[in-house]
Amino acid sequence: RVFASVVDEDEPLQQLEARVHRGPVLNVALTESVMASSGVDCIINILSLDNLSVIHHVTTSPSPSGCLAFDRYGSGKRLFSGSQDGSIWVWDTKKASLTSVVHEGVSSAAVNSISCSADGTLVCAITEDGMVRVFRTSDMKMTRSGRPTAAG
């Protein structure tokens, strides 16, 4: 199940529920109008925030996507998902299609977190072994990678 609480300064709190996955939900990401959810069922659903109805869904087999991030600059047209094998999948949410799978700099560690820069030009992925990779979203080429070091 996916639950959403919608808060608007002019309207009271609204709570919506959608049964869109077979099993637990692993992650959600949202824009102003749509939400993406990934589950252990290896499906990513793109839902309307108006009523939580599924607009599109895509399959991420053979393993589920543990993290999601929208390209905020592109109004949610692209969705980045991190996989268990360390690769990054790039989805066109309007066409519900996979546009690329990025293997550059991949270790065998799962992607634990993924985030897109505010201007939409970079996406950063962090794997469970502590490796940080930064990519240009225009061509998904890696610009830097490494493990963070302590300050001081």
Side-chain angles (χ1 to χ4, degrees):
R1 292 183 203 178
V2 174
F3 294 94
S5 295
V6 181
V7 179
D8 187 318
E9 58 189 53
D10 298 329
E11 295 182 26
L13 175 71
Q14 299 175 359
Q15 291 188 330
L16 303 170
E17 176 183 355
R19 296 174 193 263
V20 294
H21 289 283
R22 294 179 308 273
V25 173
L26 297 175
N27 204 341
V28 296
L30 60 110
T31 68
E32 295 79 24
S33 59
V34 296
M35 178 175 84
S37 65
S38 66
V40 296
D41 55 3
C42 298
I43 292 174
I44 295 175
N45 287 298
I46 309 298
L47 301 100
S48 165
L49 278 181
D50 290 335
N51 57 12
L52 289 188
S53 61
V54 175
I55 301 168
H56 297 295
H57 70 272
V58 293
T59 303
T60 63
S61 290
S63 64
S65 288
C67 53
L68 303 170
F70 276 107
D71 175 354
R72 291 182 226 128
Y73 185 75
S75 302
K77 184 176 185 238
R78 283 191 301 180
L79 179 70
F80 302 95
S81 64
S83 74
Q84 300 297 311
D85 68 1
S87 61
I88 298 168
W89 294 29
V90 185
W91 303 92
D92 181 322
T93 60
K94 303 297 183 200
K95 297 177 183 175
S97 62
L98 182 65
T99 60
S100 64
V101 178
V102 180
H103 295 285
E104 185 178 3
V106 168
S107 65
S108 60
V111 178
N112 282 349
S113 184
I114 195 163
S115 184
C116 192
S117 63
D119 65 0
T121 60
L122 299 172
V123 65
C124 176
I126 301 175
T127 54
E128 66 184 9
D129 63 358
M131 182 63 74
V132 176
R133 293 178 289 151
V134 180
F135 300 87
R136 286 188 308 260
T137 56
S138 60
D139 58 8
M140 290 307 292
K141 295 293 182 194
M142 188 166 51
T143 63
R144 52 195 162 274
S145 69
R147 286 187 173 75
T149 56

